[in-house]
Each structure stands twice: as C-alpha cells, then as structure tokens.
Amino acid sequence: MAIISFDKDAVVDYVPEYGGNRDSQEPCVVRLKFVPYSRVQHYSRLIAARGKGVSDPLKMTELTQQIQKKQFTENVESVEGFYVGAREVAEPEEFYETADTDLVIEIIKAMESHSKLTEGQRKN
C-alpha cells in the first residue's frame, strides 16, 4: 500500500480532540499546514543556533518557547469556533496566547504527524 502525505503548502481543516471538541455540533476548527520532518528539523536548528552559548536554563526555555510559537504561527492559518468569553478568537497568535496548553500541544503534534492530522481532518 502506498503512503500518501500532505503537501507542505496545503491547508488542512483540523478538528482537535481536546475537551470532546470532535463530538460537538459546532466544533473548533484549526486551519493548518502539515510540517514535514525537514521543517521540524529547521525549527530544532533555530533553537540550537540561538541557544548557542546560553547556559541559563530559564533563558533556554524562553528561547525554545519563542521558536515553538514561531512554528505555530507560521503554520496555523486561522481558527474558527474558539471563544474567549463571548469573543471569537481567529488569529493564530492570539489563539496561541489564550488557548489551554494541552490544546496547543495537540495542534503542534497534529501539524507534525501525518497520522494525527489525518485522524482529526474535518470530514465534509
């Protein structure tokens, strides 16, 4: 059987599993791009390059989080169905800043994994 992957430029509608979202009548949908292994390595190299000579664990953690946010915001196109109070949040950067840690991590794992992304792909 052949393996068919996502094009790195294709935008995929991903429905997170977080909090029973996939079973919701109006689920949160994250429009994102698949991040192939070569691109994951790119972000890892950024961390290594910027962290060269950094010995403070706190500064290294902050640096890693900055690169993770960069990966997230570069590969999430938009969000629909995510609310902070009564206001819908659609922009990736604001979503990253306001969403639960487990939800953000699920989305990052999905963008890096063909099988997780396929599992959560929105069915029409």
Side-chain angles (χ1 to χ4, degrees), residues 10-42:
V11 177
V12 178
D13 286 351
Y14 176 75
V15 180
E17 188 172 22
Y18 175 84
N21 181 60
R22 287 189 189 152
D23 298 325
S24 174
Q25 291 285 55
E26 294 182 32
C28 173
V29 178
V30 180
R31 295 182 45 84
L32 56 84
K33 294 178 188 173
F34 174 65
V35 179
Y37 183 69
S38 62
R39 194 71 181 151
V40 172
Q41 290 302 103
H42 165 77

Side-chain angles (χ1 to χ4, degrees), residues 1-72:
M1 182 168 111
I3 297 173
I4 301 170
S5 189
F6 294 96
D7 182 293
K8 66 180 178 56
D9 296 321
V11 177
V12 178
D13 286 351
Y14 176 75
V15 180
E17 188 172 22
Y18 175 84
N21 181 60
R22 287 189 189 152
D23 298 325
S24 174
Q25 291 285 55
E26 294 182 32
C28 173
V29 178
V30 180
R31 295 182 45 84
L32 56 84
K33 294 178 188 173
F34 174 65
V35 179
Y37 183 69
S38 62
R39 194 71 181 151
V40 172
Q41 290 302 103
H42 165 77
Y43 293 115
S44 295
R45 285 190 299 274
L46 282 176
I47 291 169
R50 292 185 186 172
K52 196 171 192 168
V54 175
S55 58
D56 181 3
L58 181 59
K59 286 187 179 186
M60 194 61 193
T61 299
E62 289 172 355
L63 180 88
T64 302
Q65 289 170 343
Q66 288 172 357
I67 301 299
Q68 182 184 58
K69 182 178 181 179
K70 176 180 174 64
Q71 176 183 342
F72 189 91

